[in-house]
Structure formats: structure tokens, C-alpha cells
Amino acid sequence: MSNRKAELETLKADLIARLERYEAHQQRKGGALDKDSEEQASQIQNDEVVDSLEEETRVELAQIKVALERINQGKGEECEVCGKPIDPRRLQVLPYTTVCVDCAKG
Ligand SMILES: [Zn+2]
């Protein structure tokens, strides 16, 4: 249980660092578009990839915050939807999950 919390804290720090890198990348793109059009096209494509990675990272980070919040409330091992205990093996594989396998399917 405290292992899971430590794991989530590590993941959270990791995701925040990643978001900072994505943001730094997006800020740099403004001045970089004065090259030939082929390079410009690949630059734009790259930016789109970074945009979607950034979005994914934000969603993941939000999920981790919810999971940590529930752990702090002593409900980290309870399903957020039905209130039943979440299978410990599931928590081991998906430490940031807040729902049991049945509710995740539905
Ligand atoms: Zn459930």
C-alpha cells in the first residue's frame, strides 16, 4: 500500500517533468519555422505528435492525482464506482487505477 503510494509519487514527478519538456518544445517552435517547406512539414507533424503526447500525459497525471487523493483518504483500495475492494493484482499492474475490473469493463 505505501509501496503503491511511493510508486505513484514517482510516476507523478516523472509525468510533471515530461510535461515541462513538452511545453519547452512547444515554446521553441515559434522561431523555428523559417526553414524550407519540407522541414517545416516535418516540424509541424512533430508538433502534432508532441501535442497528443502532452494531452495523454495530462490525462494520466490527473488520474494519478485522483488515485493519490483516494489513498490519502484511506480509500485507495476501494472501487470508486461500486465501493468493492480492487483486486491487489490489478493495483500492482495499474497503480493509478481507482475502479475495479468489473467497473472498468462497464
Ligand atoms: Zn467497481
Side-chain angles (χ1 to χ4, degrees):
M1 159 89 182
S2 58
N3 272 352
R4 184 180 165 219
K5 195 175 168 183
E7 198 179 336
L8 285 173
E9 293 287 3
T10 307
L11 260 174
K12 187 175 137 187
D14 191 57
L15 290 179
I16 289 170
R18 223 190 289 172
L19 271 179
E20 280 168 3
R21 281 203 299 277
Y22 294 151
E23 274 159 21
H25 173 97
Q26 303 299 53
Q27 276 158 18
R28 227 180 299 139
K29 73 184 171 190
L33 285 182
D34 55 0
K35 312 253 174 68
D36 62 71
S37 61
E38 203 180 317
E39 225 175 292
Q40 209 166 331
S42 89
Q43 168 87 38
I44 288 166
Q45 216 167 31
N46 191 18
D47 288 343
E48 281 168 4
V49 172
V50 172
D51 271 344
S52 75
L53 283 173
E54 188 178 349
E55 181 56 30
E56 248 172 63
T57 305
R58 278 188 202 286
V59 169
E60 214 176 316
L61 186 59
Q63 181 63 53
I64 286 169
K65 283 180 180 167
V66 171
L68 278 170
E69 183 72 14
R70 289 184 64 79
I71 290 169
N72 288 336
Q73 291 168 354
K75 295 189 284 190
E77 285 153 60
E78 259 173 48
C79 173
E80 199 175 15
V81 178
C82 69
K84 288 183 199 155
I86 302 172
D87 189 329
R89 284 167 301 179
R90 176 171 166 79
L91 289 176
Q92 212 161 20
V93 182
L94 301 168
Y96 47 80
T97 195
T98 54
V99 294
C100 72
V101 65
D102 290 333
C103 294
K105 269 190 244 161

